[in-house]
Amino acid sequence: MIKFEDVSKSYENGTQVLEGVNLVILPKEFVFIVGPSGAGKTTLVKLLIREELPTTGSIFFEDTDVTKVKKNLLPSLRRKIGVVFQDFKLLDSKTVFENVAVSLEVVERPEGEIKQVVPNVLNLVSLLNKSECFPYQLSGGEKQRLAIARALAHEPKVLIADEPTGNIDPVASDEVVHLLEKINTLGTTVIMATHEVGIVNRMKRRVVLMHDGKIVKDEKVGRYEV
Ligand code: ADP
């Protein structure tokens, strides 16, 4: 479903961030991408959603070579790949409901569909009772769950969470990880980039370890030792 073939990436200033990355992720997998800060985890995510282009190599999402997608087809690619970040990226002046609805409105989904889909995803992340709240009225964990709800609005095939627990306390982190597990059970491929050893080792899932831009370990039931 996702395939990186001999991917390398250098930024304009000459920094080589990824080198010879080969990675295959199958449908419905749950994969941790781990490694210290600066290892290249976020760059990997940015390449997959074509926020950046690789210097060499190919990246496939289903049958599409992501590096060759025409600009006008990028939004449709990105709707298939939901992404959440450490800093939530919520719209502060909009309610919980509106934060999710907006992503459907921009692609002109009918109002009836929005009224059905938004409560569904809010229910999935246990935020239905906060629909009318604004982000400042939410805890860190709730904000991250809202970001996840928004990423799920288009029913993506893949959900990527880049350090989703970086800004929240341990209890909220566990809730977020269990939510990701539930989403995975419902059929979505989940990729979580993290450097939180405790979470990774408790979950007993596939672990891809990155170091200095290279994949140095890839285990089906992995542990993360630092
Ligand atoms: P991680 O997510 O594992 O912390 P990143 O992919 O964010 O790693 O970064 C890997 C390396 O690439 C870091 O050394 C970072 O400074 C560098 N880097 C990231 N973005 C850019 C950029 N736009 N220009 C130059 N260097 C960058």
Side-chain angles (χ1 to χ4, degrees), residues 5-179:
E5 275 179 356
D6 211 12
V7 170
S8 297
K9 170 73 181 170
S10 302
Y11 282 108
E12 291 71 25
N13 61 4
T15 326
Q16 179 147 27
V17 184
L18 294 179
E19 197 185 329
V21 168
N22 288 290
L23 178 67
V24 173
I25 295 177
L26 300 175
K28 302 187 184 178
E29 272 199 280
F30 189 120
V31 186
F32 285 112
I33 311 277
V34 302
S37 186
K41 305 182 293 295
T42 300
T43 302
L44 207 66
V45 173
K46 284 185 177 165
L47 290 175
L48 184 59
I49 56 173
R50 245 291 284 282
E51 241 178 61
E52 293 285 349
L53 278 168
T55 313
T56 57
S58 311
I59 299 163
F60 290 91
F61 176 71
E62 298 179 319
D63 293 328
T64 308
D65 184 341
V66 171
T67 65
K68 301 209 166 86
V69 172
K70 296 214 164 61
K71 254 205 166 121
N72 61 334
L73 294 176
L74 279 180
S76 124
L77 170 78
R78 289 178 184 154
R79 282 197 290 279
K80 292 184 197 157
I81 307 175
V83 187
V84 295
F85 300 94
Q86 180 172 351
D87 59 357
F88 320 128
K89 298 196 193 299
L90 300 174
L91 301 166
D92 292 332
S93 61
K94 296 203 179 284
T95 64
V96 164
F97 186 99
E98 290 164 350
N99 262 279
V100 180
V102 147
S103 58
L104 296 164
E105 282 160 9
V106 293
V107 289
E108 296 174 356
R109 304 308 306 165
E111 207 181 312
E113 183 184 320
I114 294 175
K115 284 196 170 132
Q116 202 183 350
V117 169
V118 177
N120 270 347
V121 287
L122 287 177
N123 189 34
L124 180 68
V125 303
S126 311
L127 279 181
L128 193 53
N129 61 341
K130 304 253 168 167
S131 294
E132 299 312 314
C133 291
F134 288 89
Y136 77 89
Q137 296 169 310
L138 303 179
S139 68
E142 288 169 340
K143 283 184 193 162
Q144 191 54 287
R145 296 203 321 262
L146 174 55
I148 291 172
R150 191 185 45 193
L152 291 177
H154 294 288
E155 294 186 40
K157 303 211 166 150
V158 183
L159 179 66
I160 304 178
D162 190 2
E163 298 279 3
T165 59
N167 277 333
I168 56 181
D169 65 65
V171 174
S173 295
D174 277 346
E175 283 169 9
V176 162
V177 173
H178 285 130
L179 175 60

